[in-house]
Amino acid sequence: MQRSRGIELDVAGEIAPGWNIVLSYAHTLAKVLQDNRLPVGDLLAGVPRHSGNLWTTYEFQPDSPLHGFGLGAGLRAETQREAALPKTFLLPGYVRLDASAWYRFDVGRQPFSIRPAAAALRISASGKTL
């Protein structure tokens, strides 16, 4: 038997017209409670104790010459976590930076967005680029 307990907090809002932000945090304790082959008390694989996100976007308003364009950027962070069960080794914590850009077309009454794949940069807790 395994159990996962924790808390999660999400906050989202519009800071100014066109400027949105999302902030989230999770504290999770996921472990083996009872098992015939896995050690009781081992943390579950792939589940960080702490994780969080910060994402912000801005879409240019109708009175701007850049109307339709939008930009976004965010961070994702996780603490170290078990790689597999039973305990073998820890995967390092990391911070990842994401960015996006898009242009929104109005096709009839339906908006249509073109978004290229987000660029990502991942830094491990040891400071190495992954």
Side-chain angles (χ1 to χ4, degrees):
M1 177 178 6
Q2 302 170 352
R3 179 177 69 195
S4 175
R5 288 190 173 173
I7 61 169
E8 185 173 322
L9 173 67
D10 297 299
V11 178
E14 186 174 36
I15 297 171
W19 185 14
N20 295 294
I21 190 165
V22 176
L23 175 66
S24 65
Y25 168 76
H27 177 272
T28 308
L29 180 57
K31 62 182 178 178
V32 176
L33 294 179
Q34 182 180 20
D35 198 279
N36 291 333
R37 63 181 186 87
L38 298 173
V40 172
D42 269 12
L43 298 178
L44 299 185
V47 182
R49 178 76 56 104
H50 303 277
S51 62
N53 291 295
L54 171 65
W55 184 255
T56 186
T57 61
Y58 182 76
E59 191 161 317
F60 291 93
Q61 300 300 292
D63 60 344
S64 169
L66 296 175
H67 175 64
F69 281 101
L71 302 169
L75 295 171
R76 164 94 184 147
E78 292 186 357
T79 56
Q80 67 184 12
R81 61 222 174 273
E82 293 289 339
L85 281 175
K87 285 184 182 178
T88 51
F89 64 95
L90 293 174
L91 296 171
Y94 68 88
V95 175
R96 185 184 74 208
L97 171 65
D98 295 312
S100 67
W102 66 90
Y103 184 79
R104 183 179 309 275
F105 295 94
D106 287 326
V107 181
R109 292 184 176 205
Q110 297 296 319
F112 175 74
S113 296
I114 297 175
R115 293 181 183 231
L121 173 65
R122 182 179 285 189
I123 306 291
S124 73
S126 65
K128 296 179 182 177
T129 301
L130 303 175

